[in-house]
Amino acid sequence: MTLGAVPPRGPRSARRFSAALAVTVVLQTMAALFFVADAVADLAEDPAAPHSIFEALVALALILGVVMGVWQLRRTLAQMRQQERALDTARGSLAQVIEDQFDAWKLTPAERDVGLLALKGLDVAGIAEIRGAAQGTVRAQLTRIYAKAGVSGRAQFASWFVEDLLDPDPS
């Protein structure tokens, strides 16, 4: 992992990145402690020996690596917390956007339930099972929802809500 590396996108990969960084910092700390102890012992025996000076420099470099690793880990964890807060905010905002749009389309309470379940990715059979309704009833409700929304189907219905969340410039 390079210094200043940005953790991968997504909570799971970010957690793996942080865990790998933490393990690296622990290993570096153990190596630094070993080299510091060895360098101190060598410097006590013969402070002017090239070997002692080299070991002291290696120990110093390892300590610097540990400090930089801890700094990077703290930075990564702070970024993850910030991203999680932004995601929580976006989730709440999206829920409000959905409610407001359902109001604007004048969906009935049953249509709201069906529409929300459809947005969550459930198919007709799944929605019917959860609602205790016939699949034909759910299909009819979805047809009315799509008509009120002015869309032709499930994909357009879902994309209506996520379009503004997508980055217009994916580069």
Side-chain angles (χ1 to χ4, degrees):
M1 284 172 234
T2 60
L3 227 40
V6 177
R9 290 186 180 191
R12 288 181 58 200
S13 57
R15 280 194 274 284
R16 283 194 303 263
F17 178 84
S18 296
L21 194 56
V23 167
T24 301
V25 167
V26 168
L27 290 174
Q28 284 179 325
T29 302
M30 290 172 29
L33 290 173
F34 173 80
F35 273 98
V36 166
D38 191 47
V40 167
D42 287 350
L43 285 172
E45 284 180 23
D46 188 6
H51 173 79
S52 300
I53 294 170
F54 180 73
E55 278 192 6
L57 290 174
V58 167
L60 184 63
L62 278 170
I63 291 170
L64 182 61
V66 168
V67 169
M68 297 299 283
V70 167
W71 174 77
Q72 180 65 39
L73 181 59
R74 289 180 60 132
R75 185 171 163 239
T76 299
L77 291 174
Q79 285 176 334
M80 284 176 55
R81 283 190 297 274
Q82 181 182 9
Q83 289 171 350
E84 286 177 22
R85 280 192 304 270
L87 185 56
D88 288 343
T89 301
R91 281 186 187 124
S93 296
L94 180 58
Q96 188 58 53
V97 166
I98 291 169
E99 284 299 316
D100 292 346
Q101 194 56 50
F102 283 5
D103 286 341
W105 289 333
K106 296 181 173 76
L107 298 185
T108 66
E111 289 169 344
R112 287 173 178 267
D113 289 345
V114 170
L116 192 57
L117 292 170
L119 286 174
K120 289 182 176 186
L122 276 74
D123 62 3
V124 171
I127 296 170
E129 182 179 331
I130 288 172
R131 295 196 31 81
Q135 290 185 22
T137 302
V138 171
R139 279 191 202 91
Q141 289 170 321
L142 284 170
T143 300
R144 284 193 304 274
I145 292 168
Y146 300 154
K148 289 178 180 182
V151 297
S152 63
R154 182 184 297 257
Q156 283 185 344
F157 179 63
S159 70
W160 196 100
F161 292 100
V162 298
E163 184 176 337
D164 293 337
L165 296 176
L166 300 176
D167 186 7
D169 183 20
S171 57

